[in-house]
Amino acid sequence: MRLLAVLAVLGLALAAGPIGRPAPAFQGTTLAGEPFDLAHYLGRVPIVLHFWASNCPPCRVEAPYWSQAQRAYGDRLLIVGVDVQDLPTMAREFTARYGWSFPNVQDGTAAVAAAYRVTGKPTTVFVGIDGTVVGYHAGPYGGAAAFERDLLRLIRWRP
């Protein structure tokens, strides 16, 4: 019984993502065909990583939040979409439909998702200005207010 309790606690800790650790750097290609290297931004600007896929119904529901966030906060943080195991044509159609202008990196093998311990979509990871993971939101946001609250926390967060 005691072993099950310990395993449950460890499972919860792993599911919560790598909070407090340096954000894993990754390189990839954006949906626009441009190279992207997260290492270039780590430690310079707050970063929001949004793991999504075009066939994910909750991703479609919260998609407008992301285009609004880019317009409202794009000069104070970097939003990076991570398109997990999606067809590039479908992903490009999705980003165009919602007017996403921030970089969206393809993660065809889900290696980036694994590095961030993402187990479902959507998942949002918040990286502080010092390059450490400071927040993790698994699943969809229930509304724009909670989403905006988390963005403002990231912008105001200091090591």
Side-chain angles (χ1 to χ4, degrees), residues 1-141:
M1 186 63 110
R2 188 175 164 113
L3 178 60
L4 289 176
V6 169
L7 290 175
V9 169
L10 288 175
L12 289 175
L14 291 174
I19 294 176
R21 295 187 177 173
F26 62 88
Q27 296 176 337
T29 303
T30 68
L31 293 173
E34 300 292 324
F36 180 85
D37 187 350
L38 187 67
H40 177 75
Y41 302 98
L42 289 172
R44 296 178 180 196
V45 62
I47 301 168
V48 182
L49 299 174
H50 175 56
F51 293 84
W52 65 278
S54 65
N55 63 351
C56 159
C59 296
R60 289 191 289 270
V61 171
E62 70 177 31
Y65 303 162
W66 292 99
S67 51
Q68 293 166 1
Q70 177 66 36
R71 287 190 300 275
Y73 304 109
D75 59 338
R76 296 188 271 170
L77 56 77
L78 173 66
I79 298 172
V80 179
V82 182
D83 175 40
V84 183
Q85 294 180 315
D86 211 349
L87 294 173
T89 54
M90 293 177 69
R92 281 191 287 276
E93 288 172 9
F94 184 92
T95 59
R97 181 179 325 130
Y98 294 105
W100 289 4
S101 59
F102 50 87
N104 280 275
V105 178
Q106 292 185 284
D107 187 17
T109 63
V112 178
Y116 281 90
R117 299 182 184 162
V118 171
T119 58
K121 299 171 286 262
T123 295
T124 306
V125 178
F126 301 92
V127 180
I129 196 162
D130 67 346
T132 62
V133 176
V134 298
Y136 191 92
H137 184 89
Y141 275 93

